[in-house]
Amino acid sequence: MSEEKVEYAKPLPDFRPETKPFWEGTKQHKLLLPKCKETGKVFFYPRAISPFPGSVNMDFDWVESSGKGKVWTYSVHYMGPTKAYKGETYVVAMIELEDGVKMMSNVVDCDPETVTIGMDVEVVFEDATEEVTFAKFKPVQ
Amino acid sequence: MSNLRDVYIIGVGQTPCGKYPTKAAHVLGREASWAAIKDSGIYARDIEIGFCGHVYQGMGVGQRTLKDIGLVGQPVINVEGACGSGTLSFWEAWRTIAFGQHDVALAWGVENLSKIMSGGPLPLEEDDIEVALGMSMPGLYAMRAKRYMDEYGVSKETLAKVVVKSRLHASKNPIAQFRKETTVDAVLGDPVICDPLTRSMCCPVGDASAAAVLVSGEMLNKIKRDESRLPIKVLGCVAQSGGYASATGLTCDPSENVARTSQMAYEQAGLGPEDMDAVEIHDAFAIAELIVAEALGFAKKGEGSKLIEEGTSNFDGNIAINPSGGLLSRGHPVGATGLLQTVEIVNQLRGEATGCQVPDANIGLIETMGGAQPAMDGITCVVSILGK
């Protein structure tokens, strides 16, 4: 059977200066988090200035996350934001990573209706296009 | 900010909420604006400046609205702040008078959503990472609901009761989009959009416009007007953009923004939540009524459901929440919503509510929450406090 390349029809994020290292990381199947050089703390969502009170840092290291965490909250979606999701049932979740940050993502590789708050999950990478790879999460077996 | 001038609302107008795919935004806007001008008793040409809130309606809607009335030449500013656009235009009108730039301003909000969509979630910016993960507005509030239910032991039935109360209020409101009462079983029996939110726990797609004429205290004393039309004083009015919910992540919790903004509005008014008689809040989804009621100080954290369970938030309860039916039932024509809420509170304070009249309403509050944005607790929150 020949594998035909199916074009990815769902919305794609754009890369901004603040988020580019994150997407370069996922492309290499690494989950990278920005770390404030001044306070030594990691944070998420990536941004141009340190979010920590008192810090004037505008320059960051990118450190690799363990990719392990728990479902902080979630919702099984029976209707998506665009037509490309029609007929799909999927899980959007907030993942609380061991590193101490929360990240919105999808819980995949399981029956959506078995997801629960507090469930242990780990990162998996989904190559959507040649440029974009999503960091998603699956239940820890 | 003790040197702010007094500002009064002297006229309001609104159109019914519904689907009017053939009515252009400026046609709806003209209907509400003209009604507000007539209600104010002011000569139309005395309006010095106009602010038009909308989101999806294209170029120059404000100017096109006033042109149909015959008001041209004065400054008109189109204001956009997602679902808070209407109240953001109200805030602009209030502050231009409060800070002494103008004496008479018209604020209106308008949206014709059914022209661009028949149903489903509002279109979001597709390049946002969270939209790329399949998040939608109902999805965001659904996640908030899941966490809330887990933390505080709240059931789906309680969320359904928010809708039942909303429909009950709307059933008496002639301008409401959904005027049929419902039951807990019917709400829970609806298709699930984003678990745990069923379709009727989400606000509908609809169209409308609403408007208010604002004047300075000095002008109120100068103009000849119908004394039977009670002027309503703006006691507090604050707009705030969303912030990062926390340094280390997202909480999908717009209530942080509401708490921050309302605190500033209470301070400006010198009042507290215990002083409010009637409030219109941004219940775009059933869960929002609970978390926003808490953020506004009407219940302790995690106890917003008691207001529903005990009937405290009914129109004749201790703190009447959404006597119009709110976004869930009166409707949520995005840019118009904030002004629809404002018109409702003005009518309540005048004792002229078109639907459920809150008994002895002296002070009211309006809270509008605009939009979802990655990592932020909303785009715009506006809280205003009105009194007679």
Side-chain angles (χ1 to χ4, degrees):
Chain A
M1 250 180 18
S2 68
E3 270 193 44
E4 252 186 65
K5 197 158 171 66
V6 183
E7 201 163 321
Y8 190 81
K10 292 172 187 164
L12 287 165
D14 70 350
F15 298 174
R16 298 159 197 163
E18 301 80 32
T19 57
K20 200 160 178 271
F22 175 80
W23 294 112
E24 283 170 351
T26 56
K27 205 174 159 184
Q28 296 168 43
H29 291 200
K30 284 181 182 169
L31 185 60
L32 299 183
L33 300 172
K35 183 178 175 182
C36 172
K37 282 187 176 175
E38 199 172 10
T39 61
K41 292 194 257 187
V42 293
F43 63 95
F44 200 80
Y45 193 78
R47 62 200 85 164
I49 56 175
S50 171
F52 299 108
S55 173
V56 293
N57 181 34
M58 295 192 286
D59 189 20
F60 309 103
D61 291 323
W62 287 79
V63 294
E64 188 169 357
S65 161
S66 69
K68 292 190 193 308
K70 286 181 190 298
V71 173
W72 187 79
T73 188
Y74 73 99
S75 170
V76 182
H77 282 44
Y78 298 89
M79 181 193 270
T82 71
K83 279 184 188 148
Y85 291 88
K86 204 169 176 182
E88 267 187 58
T89 301
Y90 60 99
V91 178
V92 180
M94 303 283 305
I95 308 297
E96 190 164 34
L97 290 169
E98 279 180 355
D99 314 80
V101 302
K102 289 196 202 84
M103 179 179 287
M104 193 177 288
S105 188
N106 300 129
V107 179
V108 294
D109 297 345
C110 65
D111 175 356
E113 287 170 14
T114 61
V115 174
T116 55
I117 288 178
M119 179 185 248
D120 288 312
V121 289
E122 62 188 7
V123 72
V124 285
F125 293 95
E126 193 179 290
D127 300 316
T129 66
E130 276 184 22
E131 292 80 31
V132 178
T133 297
F134 288 108
K136 299 193 172 181
F137 290 82
K138 65 170 186 182
V140 174
Q141 294 307 316
Chain B
M1 295 213 284
S2 54
N3 54 350
L4 289 176
R5 299 202 302 166
D6 288 344
V7 180
Y8 292 85
I9 304 169
I10 58 164
V12 290
Q14 60 188 353
T15 72
C17 296
K19 292 192 177 180
Y20 314 107
T22 59
K23 274 198 185 180
H26 64 274
V27 175
L28 288 169
R30 184 243 171 241
E31 196 178 324
S33 297
W34 188 241
I37 293 167
K38 296 283 273 185
D39 182 50
S40 76
I42 206 163
Y43 178 54
R45 224 184 287 281
D46 288 339
I47 289 167
E48 299 165 15
I49 187 165
F51 297 95
C52 171
H54 73 88
V55 179
Y56 297 106
Q57 306 302 309
M59 195 165 61
V61 176
Q63 286 81 351
R64 282 185 279 139
T65 306
L66 294 194
K67 175 212 69 176
D68 286 351
I69 290 174
L71 285 175
V72 290
Q74 74 291 316
V76 176
I77 294 102
N78 291 282
V79 180
E80 195 281 318
C83 306
S85 300
T87 16
L88 200 57
S89 75
F90 179 85
W91 177 78
E92 287 281 14
W94 165 78
R95 76 182 181 123
T96 197
I97 296 172
F99 287 100
Q101 264 194 316
H102 294 96
D103 283 302
V104 186
L106 176 70
W108 74 105
V110 65
E111 206 74 51
N112 189 311
L113 268 188
S114 64
K115 240 170 49 168
I116 58 168
M117 59 193 285
S118 56
L122 283 176
L124 301 176
E125 289 300 327
E126 294 204 351
D127 65 323
D128 281 342
I129 175 173
E130 298 177 355
V131 178
L133 293 165
M135 189 210 83
S136 60
M137 287 304 297
L140 185 80
Y141 279 90
M143 284 194 283
R144 183 61 252 174
K146 274 276 183 195
R147 182 75 197 181
Y148 185 88
M149 291 160 77
D150 188 71
E151 269 182 45
Y152 301 114
V154 171
S155 69
K156 278 195 279 195
E157 282 72 20
T158 301
L159 291 185
K161 285 178 189 169
V162 173
V163 183
V164 172
K165 183 211 67 167
S166 159
R167 293 282 197 276
L168 172 72
H169 287 176
S171 71
K172 311 283 193 296
N173 185 354
I175 71 135
Q177 191 160 344
F178 292 142
R179 292 195 297 268
K180 208 174 141 206
E181 287 189 49
T182 190
T183 63
V184 168
D185 286 347
V187 173
L188 294 179
D190 262 347
V192 179
I193 303 296
C194 294
D195 175 45
L197 302 179
T198 65
R199 192 173 54 202
S200 50
M201 292 181 193
C202 305
C203 59
V205 165
D207 319 320
S209 178
V213 177
L214 291 80
V215 298
S216 62
E218 287 95 322
M219 186 56 86
L220 184 71
N221 295 325
K222 272 188 219 159
I223 50 177
K224 281 193 199 124
R225 34 182 307 282
D226 179 354
E227 292 297 321
S228 73
R229 311 304 296 131
L230 188 68
I232 299 298
K233 192 172 180 184
V234 184
L235 303 173
C237 191
V238 177
Q240 290 280 292
S241 286
Y244 284 111
S246 76
T248 52
L250 326 174
T251 61
C252 58
D253 193 351
S255 63
E256 297 292 325
N257 196 352
V258 176
R260 210 163 52 233
T261 311
S262 61
Q263 193 51 45
M264 294 166 77
Y266 285 137
E267 275 171 30
Q268 199 180 59
L271 298 166
E274 65 283 359
D275 300 308
M276 302 301 125
D277 300 313
V279 302
E280 282 283 315
I281 67 177
H282 201 85
D283 60 333
F285 302 94
I287 180 66
E289 178 157 322
L290 307 184
I291 60 174
V292 168
E294 293 168 16
L296 292 170
F298 301 132
K300 286 189 194 141
K301 197 116 179 135
E303 294 184 3
S305 56
K306 277 194 190 169
L307 300 174
I308 287 291
E309 295 291 349
E310 293 167 9
T312 321
S313 55
N314 284 1
F315 76 96
D316 54 357
N318 221 3
I319 175 70
I321 297 182
N322 292 343
S324 72
L327 280 64
L328 287 172
S329 304
R330 180 207 54 231
H332 181 29
V334 189
T337 292
L339 262 306
L340 285 164
Q341 294 173 308
T342 307
V343 172
E344 174 68 19
I345 293 299
V346 167
N347 286 337
Q348 290 289 348
L349 300 182
R350 282 172 162 182
E352 298 173 356
T354 51
C356 293
Q357 175 66 51
V358 175
D360 306 318
N362 291 309
I363 296 172
L365 176 147
I366 296 111
E367 176 269 340
T368 322
M369 183 69 230
Q373 185 62 26
M376 287 166 67
D377 54 10
I379 285 175
T380 294
C381 181
V382 186
V383 173
S384 39
I385 298 172
L386 310 180
K388 63 181 182 189

